[in-house]
Amino acid sequence: MCGIWAVFGSSSDIFIHCKAAFKIAHRGPDAFRLESIYQFPSCCLGFHRLAILDAQHGMQPMRVSQHPHVWLIYNGEIYNHLQLREQFGFQYDTHCDGESIIHLYARGGIEFAAKHMDGVFAFCLLDTASRKVYLGRDTFGVKPLFRIIMEDGFLSVCSEVKGLMDIARYQSNVKIQDVLPGHVETYSLNMKGQASFENMKQFHHIGATPSYTTAATPKGDDIMANIRTLLESAVSKRLMTERRIGCLLSGGLDSSLITALLVKLARERDLAYPIQTFSIGMYGSPDLAAAKVVAKHLGTEHHEIVFTPEEAISTIEDVIYYLESYDALTIRGAVGRHVPDVQYVKENTDTTVMLSGEGSDEITQGYSYFHKAPSAEDGDKESRRLCKDISLFDVRRVDRNSAAFGLEIRVPFLDHQFSSYYLSLDPDLKAPKNGIEKQLLRSAFNDTGLLPADILWRPKEAFADGIASPSKSWIEFIKDFAADQMIDSELELCSRNYSHNPPVSMESLYYRRIFEIPYSWTPKWSSDPSARKPKSNVTNK
């Protein structure tokens, strides 16, 4: 997890803007650098580093001896960087995976580079020879990237919105927009370093077969074997780290499968440390009990984080600040699960990289409302829609929660090869069967011994029920708290006071009020995600 920031074409001293770069310092606690560009004094690149590979030589902005006119800042992991070196004969200056971006660009241009990267990434690449700036983002938008482009040629780029807010507040008609997942944008610079937009191109779309040479080979028509092979390959790639790796374990199917595969691979590679697992819940919650069963079965070094509703609610303001969102479902998930979980990892262990099960519900049709799909084809369309929007919700939560504490969470279910293969399967195979969601995924790992049968076939728990105490759900706690902070007349005025996404409940109004303290603007990247959940899960008080 790192943070990138850049300005191009500043009409004032660039160092006036540089304080904004420190708004994302939490993303990279290990090192920081600001560097101006001698050919373009109105431009500056900033980088906050979480060192995962090549701590000694991987600092950014990155430049390499063979291509000194190329400057790179990026956030992410390029899992196939060694394969690319072999395939194209690249001569690397470092052991850092991101160096492959520079060599790919030099070989075939920016689209060629983006198409050949197996990983998750957000980058800003400056070519001073051609006077071009390129922005790019991975297919699912696992890594965030936002930008402002103004009529006078001022371009500003940042991993998070908060690093652009000073500009947005004091300029008229300014829009902060995200770089779309799976796209690259090209800007040209004039001799003063001022930017003008040239084009935006999609280099990959969700469900498409990867253009690069893949790490695993499907085994003919054996669908079950292919699912196992490709998911294990997805986990295997994500062991690429020089820091300690662990797993967020809820005890549900998705996180349990990822943990089981991680433990299997760790033993095969003879890692020097035991895999740490982390589960969270209120006293007596079903998730804590299930996670304990999985941890015992796999022999992990297990950590339970038990929280009270009051402890979780006390984090709401911080959660909204880091999430940069007022979406109720996203905030509930962040407050009730990841924030206490990730904070504990940071403060009590040396694990820096963690794997998580996010993305499975979208890819494999795990939400309970998929049982009500009119047809298998309709379910498949909804699955693809959720995948397209995942960067706005689940992926945002995972990124911001981990970045807030200088940690990194990786999501194997959103692997290019695994996701494209699973989405390509016949819709009838992927649809829920006999009242069981994700039956295809469960069946693929049946009889493998990776997990106890009662975990592999454990029905999906609604999030609020999984972490809750037996007496009261997490949603009930948080709704009651929010209602106590508001009065009914305030909600009645929402349609008049909020022209964009007016709050529809006391809870959503409470979140919106907090959100607008640091982010007093209209976010084009936020919308109501309630279609992905049963109405009973999102009906607000």
Side-chain angles (χ1 to χ4, degrees), residues 155-220:
L155 171 66
S156 187
V157 182
C158 194
S159 294
E160 297 184 13
V161 169
K162 55 183 65 67
L164 302 176
M165 281 306 301
D166 287 346
I167 298 168
R169 282 200 182 101
Y170 302 114
Q171 299 288 337
S172 59
N173 300 318
V174 167
K175 292 181 180 179
I176 300 177
Q177 296 176 306
D178 58 339
V179 175
L180 293 179
H183 288 70
V184 289
E185 298 180 354
T186 302
Y187 298 82
S188 59
L189 300 181
N190 63 20
M191 298 303 294
K192 296 181 179 180
Q194 296 166 323
S196 59
F197 176 78
E198 283 196 2
N199 60 65
M200 174 178 67
K201 295 183 179 180
Q202 186 170 14
F203 64 85
H204 190 261
H205 62 85
I206 293 168
T209 302
S211 301
Y212 50 80
T213 302
T214 53
T217 303
K219 300 175 181 179

Side-chain angles (χ1 to χ4, degrees), residues 195-490:
S196 59
F197 176 78
E198 283 196 2
N199 60 65
M200 174 178 67
K201 295 183 179 180
Q202 186 170 14
F203 64 85
H204 190 261
H205 62 85
I206 293 168
T209 302
S211 301
Y212 50 80
T213 302
T214 53
T217 303
K219 300 175 181 179
D221 297 327
D222 190 339
I223 292 174
M224 301 297 186
N226 290 338
I227 290 172
R228 292 192 298 270
T229 297
L230 297 183
L231 188 57
E232 181 171 327
S233 173
V235 173
S236 178
K237 296 173 193 176
R238 287 159 178 80
L239 268 70
M240 185 186 77
T241 175
E242 295 172 359
R243 308 289 287 269
R244 185 167 185 169
I245 192 166
C247 243
L248 298 178
L249 175 62
S250 71
L253 171 68
D254 307 324
S255 65
S256 298
L257 272 179
I258 297 303
T259 303
L261 291 169
L262 174 60
V263 169
K264 173 180 180 290
L265 291 164
R267 288 170 179 162
E268 291 174 358
R269 299 186 186 190
D270 196 25
L271 288 190
Y273 52 82
I275 296 298
Q276 293 180 327
T277 49
F278 306 92
S279 63
I280 187 166
M282 299 181 198
Y283 291 98
S285 71
D287 277 3
L288 286 178
K292 185 178 293 185
V293 171
V294 177
K296 182 177 180 180
H297 178 79
L298 299 175
T300 66
E301 182 185 307
H302 190 55
H303 298 249
E304 277 191 358
I305 302 100
V306 180
F307 70 93
T308 66
E310 293 76 19
E311 288 172 333
I313 285 170
S314 70
T315 69
I316 288 176
E317 291 187 15
D318 285 343
V319 165
I320 292 174
Y321 175 75
Y322 285 111
L323 276 181
E324 305 176 334
S325 173
Y326 52 79
D327 172 62
L329 285 175
T330 306
I331 293 167
R332 288 175 190 166
V335 170
R337 176 167 288 169
H338 282 288
V339 165
D341 212 353
V342 175
Q343 183 174 2
Y344 173 91
V345 174
K346 178 68 173 180
E347 295 176 353
N348 296 279
T349 79
D350 60 346
T351 289
T352 302
V353 177
M354 291 171 288
L355 302 191
S356 179
E358 263 76 18
S360 177
D361 285 327
E362 290 75 10
I363 297 291
T364 67
Q365 302 186 25
Y367 294 119
S368 57
Y369 75 95
F370 276 102
H371 291 284
K372 300 179 181 180
S375 67
E377 288 72 21
D378 287 319
D380 182 61
K381 290 178 182 177
E382 174 66 0
S383 172
R384 294 172 186 272
R385 184 192 71 80
L386 293 177
C387 289
K388 183 179 179 181
D389 291 344
I390 195 171
S391 66
L392 303 175
F393 307 112
D394 295 57
V395 162
R396 175 189 293 269
R397 184 184 69 242
V398 168
D399 174 84
R400 301 303 198 283
N401 283 351
S402 56
F405 298 98
L407 300 174
E408 179 166 293
I409 296 178
R410 297 177 177 177
V411 284
F413 277 106
L414 296 182
D415 179 76
H416 283 187
Q417 189 179 15
F418 173 80
S419 63
S420 64
Y421 177 80
Y422 203 99
L423 290 171
S424 74
L425 297 174
D426 188 318
D428 285 325
L429 290 174
K430 296 178 289 184
K433 299 286 193 305
N434 304 316
I436 302 173
E437 72 283 340
K438 304 182 187 177
Q439 188 181 56
L440 179 61
L441 179 65
R442 298 175 194 270
S443 298
F445 287 92
N446 202 28
D447 299 325
T448 63
L450 276 178
L451 291 172
D454 57 342
I455 296 295
L456 185 64
W457 295 95
R458 180 191 176 196
K460 181 175 177 59
E461 291 270 8
F463 161 74
D465 297 328
I467 67 165
S469 68
S471 60
K472 190 175 184 179
S473 78
W474 167 236
I475 288 180
E476 290 175 314
F477 276 115
I478 202 165
K479 282 183 179 180
D480 289 347
F481 174 80
D484 289 341
Q485 314 306 308
M486 301 285 110
I487 58 177
D488 291 341
S489 59
E490 292 177 296

